[in-house]
Structures are given as C-alpha cells and as structure tokens.
Amino acid sequence: MSMVISPENKKIILLLILLFGGVILKWLWFEMKRRHRRDYYRNTYLKSDVWQRKRAVVFKRDNWRCVYCGGKATQVHHKRYAKRNIGKEPIEWLVSICNSCHEKQHR
C-alpha cells in the first residue's frame, strides 16, 4: 500500500517545516547572542578598569555596607542589567551586598 500525498498537502507540510525551522533558527540565534554577551560580561567587562571604578563608587555610596543585612559588603549586585549596552548600567541599578545575601538573591 503506497501513500500518495496530494499537492495541497505537500504545500502545507512544506509551510510547516519552514515555519518550525524559522522558529528554531531564531531561538538558536538568540542563544548564541546571549552566550556571547554573558561571556563578554564575565570574562572582559568584570575585569575592566571601568567596572572597578564603578564598583568603588557603589561601595562608597553604600558606605561599604550590605543594603540588605547591613553587614560588610564584599560584592556589587546588579538589580537590573543593560541588555544591549553592557557596562552602561546606571549606578542606581547597582547595590553593595555581602556574599551570603548575594547568594540568596540568585536562588
């Protein structure tokens, strides 16, 4: 028994393949860009002089205290990220934080 697919059904199948293929390609492109931004952020920006200066300003503003528990701040936490322009986040988006509170923020 052979199965014959009508020309109309072939068009529908092709359209579905193109639609799902486009969705998958868009997702893959997004993931590739996201990983690139993350790697740049971790491996380049956080090691830069620009970040170190911004970090010092945040610590000084918050008096070297964790804004959540009042303990000694050892890290700077991003409340928000600049999606398109890494490193262009305003100081208001950054807070001084201790290690234990920072871990809680990322759970």
Side-chain angles (χ1 to χ4, degrees):
M1 180 173 162
S2 68
M3 183 173 215
V4 178
I5 300 174
S6 70
E8 190 65 32
N9 286 342
K10 285 181 182 179
K11 289 179 185 177
I12 293 171
I13 291 169
L14 181 61
L15 185 62
L16 288 172
I17 290 170
L18 290 173
L19 179 68
F20 286 115
V23 169
I24 290 169
L25 285 175
K26 187 175 180 180
W27 177 79
L28 288 172
W29 181 253
F30 173 82
E31 279 298 308
M32 186 177 72
K33 288 187 344 185
R34 185 184 68 82
R35 286 182 184 153
H36 176 73
R37 282 192 312 269
R38 183 194 62 206
D39 291 344
Y40 170 79
Y41 176 78
R42 289 178 179 171
N43 300 325
T44 304
Y45 176 62
L46 290 181
K47 295 175 182 174
S48 71
D49 290 337
V50 172
W51 171 248
Q52 295 304 318
R53 285 191 300 271
K54 191 176 282 193
R55 188 173 182 265
V57 168
V58 172
F59 279 140
K60 187 173 182 177
R61 179 199 66 200
D62 296 337
N63 201 26
W64 293 86
R65 293 281 163 214
C66 176
V67 297
Y68 297 103
C69 72
K72 184 177 190 282
T74 56
Q75 300 175 16
V76 172
H77 174 67
H78 284 76
K79 294 190 290 184
R80 291 178 54 192
Y81 289 92
K83 289 185 181 180
R84 303 249 186 268
N85 298 315
I86 294 173
K88 303 294 185 197
E89 66 276 325
I91 297 293
E92 295 80 33
W93 292 4
L94 304 170
V95 293
S96 300
I97 193 168
C98 68
N99 187 49
S100 61
C101 288
H102 204 186
E103 288 178 6
K104 290 176 191 172
Q105 288 292 317
H106 286 284
R107 281 189 204 149

